[in-house]
Amino acid sequence: MGSGNAIRGSRVGAGPMGEAERGEAAPRVRVAFWCANMHETRPSFASDAAVPEMWDCPRCGLPAGQDEEAPPAPPKNEPYKTHLAYVKERRSDKDGKAILEEALERLRNNKSPW
Ligand SMILES: [Zn+2]
């Protein structure tokens, strides 16, 4: 299920890394951004390129800023809080385990489908 999400997710993840792997001689700088969920992302930029003040968090889609202490507030009614955001959040190991255990718990409490 959700093959469209997988494709979109991998493209987001592969963007900055893929560029770095191309290994051009141009020097690059890495800039850290933090979103309101404290996800850290470190895209790299050509050293002569302008570094944006804001960056979209590749994990949850919220805007991320360069100040770890004061990440940009998530916009209200933002359209990103769809299943796509949840799918992305589930990819982190901790969340994945929690969800798995929750599911197992539910299976134990309900009747096993098998
Ligand atoms: Zn995030």
Side-chain angles (χ1 to χ4, degrees):
M1 64 174 193
S3 63
N5 292 339
I7 287 165
R8 208 170 144 189
S10 70
R11 211 174 71 208
V12 169
M17 301 303 277
E19 283 171 27
E21 278 166 17
R22 247 184 264 153
E24 298 293 320
R28 302 187 78 85
V29 290
R30 269 180 187 277
V31 181
F33 293 86
W34 290 267
C35 75
N37 290 326
M38 301 312 291
H39 296 143
E40 183 180 346
T41 183
R42 289 174 169 269
S44 65
F45 301 91
S47 62
D48 58 349
V51 175
E53 274 179 49
M54 303 273 270
W55 192 257
D56 283 344
C57 174
R59 288 211 239 166
C60 66
L62 292 180
Q66 292 180 44
D67 188 350
E68 183 178 8
E69 302 295 323
K76 304 278 183 201
N77 330 314
E78 42 99 23
Y80 278 109
K81 216 45 183 167
T82 58
H83 65 278
L84 175 61
Y86 287 112
V87 167
K88 285 184 175 180
E89 281 169 14
R90 281 182 202 187
R91 285 190 187 161
S92 85
D93 286 346
K94 250 191 271 172
D95 287 355
K97 244 180 224 171
I99 286 163
L100 182 64
E101 276 172 26
E102 196 184 280
L104 287 174
E105 196 69 36
R106 227 177 281 155
L107 281 180
R108 283 186 209 114
N109 291 339
N110 297 330
K111 288 203 169 147
S112 164
W114 302 292

